[in-house]
């Protein structure tokens, strides 16, 4: 979120167009979503700690390159690499939590992880704004270096070395490459479909490439004893239903982050910094709800918590559908906070419910699949909800109704889940 605050200054400093500058956000998203499954597979084979160290180093390196960039294309490339590094860290961390903590403690650990993730989201706009005000946009990338150094020291000294899976003997690099390119094409089509004409030669070529890669991947996967995308995971109790609930949660979250920023800046004429600050209650709710959730996660079934979360999301979206330029800012803060609470209550239990029955030697690929599906859900949400936002005179009513329908679908999907808990006391 810090980068979104810096887009205007970056565009002016590097003499870039708005479209090229927006790729700083899209490139990161594409780099993250396209490699999640691949990273999950590699983590199961080569060890999670080793891959996490690589991810931290890669993120530090790409941050340094971004800070030293003299042109927009170099910055775009570094942001893509940052996204790849983020996919490594995201997948390996969840896989490590699944492997290193018992079901009794796993829920609290995931909730604590969500707390610090929320703090990062909450502080991003404010810290980014301060760094830009006192220094320049390059500082938002340089600040990552000491954080990466501290993280690397902690991982190397305190995280036990993870063993390699005995079930996976080697990497099928052809299969890995095809899957990565397949996801890359899918994410680009989804994220850029609303900005590039679907009938343009570029999009037609991309669709053809996607279909060919999909056919090739299915052929490679057929009858393999250890397929890259293990369909048997979806047969695990709650994995499919909880993963779809997570997808719908990300659909609402990323669609809301997109349209609320556009609305506040284009209709209410807020600055980028003010927009980031007024959205801070959402991120604070993400942080502190995660902390509160850690005390509830062993007392109540994941299904019950997710149902409460979707109900809160529905209430918040129904309330926000009536936002106008005359809406009191204090009410905005309450609505954004309530929406963040609902998203948090869905996200952590849905992740726990999806992974609690997954075999430990498949934790990496299972986490990669979950995060890939969630990111794709977020990308689809941005495209669909943005269409309704622009189609209906930049009003929030119809976008909120689309997100509300997605949340209602999620609420109904929870009915397919069993009332399991992370631990039993």
């Amino acid at each position: 979120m810090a980068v979104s605050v810096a887009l205007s200054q970056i565009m002016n400093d590097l003499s870039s167009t708005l479209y090229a500058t927006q790729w700083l956000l899209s490139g990161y998203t594409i780099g993250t979503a396209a490699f999640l499954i691949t990273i999950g597979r590699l983590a199961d084979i080569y060890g999670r700690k080793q891959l996490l160290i690589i991810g931290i180093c890669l993120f530090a390196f790409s941050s340094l390159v971004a800070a030293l960039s003299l042109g927009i294309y170099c910055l775009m490339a570094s942001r893509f690499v940052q996204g790849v590094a983020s996919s490594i860290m995201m997948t390996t961390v969840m896989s490590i939590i699944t492997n290193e903590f018992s079901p009794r403690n796993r829920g609290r650990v995931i909730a604590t992880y969500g707390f610090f993730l929320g703090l990062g989201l909450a502080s991003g706009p404010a810290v980014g704004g301060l760094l830009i005000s006192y220094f320049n946009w390059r500082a938002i990338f340089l600040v990552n270096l000491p954080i990466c150094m501290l993280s690397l020291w902690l991982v190397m000294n305190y995280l036990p070395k993870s063993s390699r899976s005995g079930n996976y003997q080697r990497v099928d690099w052809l299969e890995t490459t095809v899957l990565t390119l397949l996801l890359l094409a899918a994410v680009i089509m989804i994220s850029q479909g609303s900005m590039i004409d679907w009938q343009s030669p570029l999009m037609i070529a991309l669709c053809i490439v996607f279909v060919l890669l999909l056919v090739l991947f299915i052929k490679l996967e057929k009858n393999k004893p250890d397929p890259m995308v293990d369909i048997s995971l979806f047969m695990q109790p709650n994995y499919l239903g909880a993963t779809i609930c997570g997808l719908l949660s990300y659909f609402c979250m990323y669609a809301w982050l997109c349209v609320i920023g556009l609305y506040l800046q284009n209709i209410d004429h807020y600055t980028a910094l003010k927009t980031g600050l007024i959205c801070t209650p959402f991120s604070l709710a993400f942080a502190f709800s995660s902390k509160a959730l850690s005390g509830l996660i062993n007392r109540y079934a994941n299904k019950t918590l997710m149902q409460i979360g979707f109900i809160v999301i529905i209430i918040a979206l129904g309330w926000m559908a009536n936002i106008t330029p005359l809406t009191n800012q204090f009410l905005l803060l309450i609505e954004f906070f309530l929406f963040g609470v609902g998203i948090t209550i869905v996200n952590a239990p849905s992740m726990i419910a999806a992974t609690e029955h997954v075999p430990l030697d498949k934790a990496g690929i299972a986490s990669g699949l979950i995060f890939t599906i969630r990111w794709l859900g977020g990308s689809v949400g941005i495209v669909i909800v943005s269409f309704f936002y622009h189609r209906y005179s930049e009003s929030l009513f119809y976008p909120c109704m689309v997100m509300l329908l997605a949340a209602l679908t999620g609420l109904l999907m929870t009915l397919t889940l069993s009332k399991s808990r992370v631990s039993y006391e």
Side-chain angles (χ1 to χ4, degrees):
M1 292 184 72
V3 174
S4 62
V5 176
L7 290 180
S8 178
Q9 191 180 105
I10 291 173
M11 185 168 62
N12 294 330
D13 190 33
L14 299 181
S15 301
S16 171
T17 64
L18 177 61
Y19 176 74
T21 307
Q22 287 176 334
W23 269 92
L24 299 179
L25 301 178
S26 299
Y28 182 88
T29 302
I30 292 169
T32 301
F35 288 86
L36 286 167
I37 296 179
T38 300
I39 297 303
R41 171 77 167 196
L42 295 178
D44 286 335
I45 297 175
Y46 292 115
R48 300 162 189 91
K49 178 178 179 178
Q50 296 89 317
L51 223 59
L52 179 57
I53 291 173
I54 292 173
I56 295 172
C57 293
L58 188 61
F59 193 85
F61 173 75
S62 56
S63 296
L64 179 61
V65 172
L68 299 177
S69 296
L70 299 177
I72 190 64
Y73 294 108
C74 179
L75 187 55
M76 287 165 58
S78 64
R79 284 288 290 166
F80 176 80
V81 177
Q82 272 192 325
V84 176
S86 175
S87 72
I88 297 175
M89 294 185 288
M90 189 185 306
T91 304
T92 52
V93 165
M94 278 306 307
S95 181
I96 288 169
I97 291 174
T98 302
N99 275 268
E100 299 297 332
F101 294 92
S102 66
R104 184 182 187 84
N105 298 317
R106 195 178 300 153
R108 292 180 181 177
V109 174
I110 291 178
T112 302
Y113 169 68
F115 169 74
F116 285 103
L117 179 62
L119 280 183
L121 290 172
S123 61
V127 173
L130 288 173
L131 291 172
I132 293 168
S133 299
Y134 286 97
F135 302 99
N136 58 36
W137 63 267
R138 300 179 190 276
I140 66 173
F141 295 108
L142 289 174
V143 75
N144 292 332
L145 299 182
I147 297 174
C148 287
M149 291 175 64
L150 175 61
S151 301
L152 187 62
W153 181 80
L154 290 172
V155 168
M156 294 183 71
N157 286 278
Y158 291 99
L159 190 66
K161 185 177 180 180
S162 54
S163 59
R164 302 183 180 188
S165 170
N167 292 337
Y168 299 128
Q169 301 299 323
R170 64 184 181 83
V171 179
D172 187 329
W173 290 108
L174 175 59
E175 186 183 20
T176 300
T177 303
V178 171
L179 176 61
T180 302
L181 292 175
L182 176 66
L183 290 173
L184 196 61
V187 176
I188 292 175
M189 285 192 299
I190 293 171
S191 63
Q192 301 302 310
S194 59
M195 303 178 68
I196 303 174
D197 185 2
W198 280 97
Q199 296 181 349
S200 67
L202 176 61
M203 291 304 294
I204 293 174
L206 201 57
C207 290
I208 294 173
V209 169
F210 174 80
V211 172
L212 293 176
L213 288 172
L214 180 60
V215 172
L216 178 58
F217 182 71
I218 292 174
K219 185 177 180 180
L220 291 173
E221 287 278 277
K222 191 176 181 180
N223 300 324
K224 283 197 66 175
D226 55 342
M228 187 83 174
V229 178
D230 194 344
I231 303 300
S232 68
L233 287 171
F234 293 97
M235 301 298 107
Q236 298 290 334
N238 291 341
Y239 187 87
L240 177 60
T243 299
I244 293 175
C245 288
L247 177 152
L248 293 168
S249 173
Y250 269 51
F251 179 102
C252 295
M253 180 172 67
Y254 280 97
W256 179 84
L257 287 171
C258 176
V259 297
I260 200 65
L262 291 172
Y263 181 84
L264 292 176
Q265 294 185 63
N266 296 339
I267 305 301
D268 286 352
H269 304 294
Y270 286 11
T271 64
L273 178 57
K274 186 177 180 181
T275 298
L277 290 175
I278 205 167
C279 290
T280 298
F282 166 79
S283 302
L284 288 175
F286 201 101
F288 292 104
S289 296
S290 295
K291 192 64 177 176
L293 195 61
S294 65
L296 301 174
I297 227 158
N298 287 334
R299 297 183 182 181
Y300 301 98
N302 296 315
K303 175 179 180 177
T304 303
L305 292 172
M306 290 162 64
Q307 288 172 338
I308 294 172
F310 276 121
I311 290 172
V312 173
I313 292 172
I314 290 169
I315 294 172
L317 288 170
W319 196 359
M320 287 189 289
N322 298 307
I323 290 177
T324 69
L326 299 178
T327 301
N328 186 282
Q329 290 186 3
F330 181 72
L331 290 179
L332 292 180
L333 298 177
I334 296 176
E335 292 166 0
F336 296 172
F337 183 85
L338 187 64
F339 183 69
V341 170
I343 291 292
T344 306
I345 298 176
V346 172
N347 278 349
S350 63
M351 175 62 74
I352 298 166
T355 58
E356 61 181 331
H357 297 292
V358 170
L360 294 182
D361 61 355
K362 295 183 179 181
I365 189 64
S367 298
L369 270 171
I370 292 169
F371 279 121
T372 299
I373 292 170
R374 289 188 175 199
W375 275 86
L376 289 175
S379 298
V380 171
I382 290 173
V383 172
I384 294 177
V385 175
S386 295
F387 168 79
F388 281 91
Y389 174 75
H390 292 295
R391 176 67 176 80
Y392 293 100
S393 304
E394 298 183 329
S395 165
L396 285 180
F397 178 79
Y398 290 103
C400 284
M401 289 298 102
V402 174
M403 290 183 280
L404 192 150
L405 181 61
L408 182 59
T409 304
L411 180 61
L412 295 175
M413 182 58 64
T414 62
L415 299 177
T416 67
L417 305 178
S418 62
K419 282 197 171 185
S420 58
R421 298 179 185 176
V422 178
S423 63
Y424 302 86
E425 300 188 43

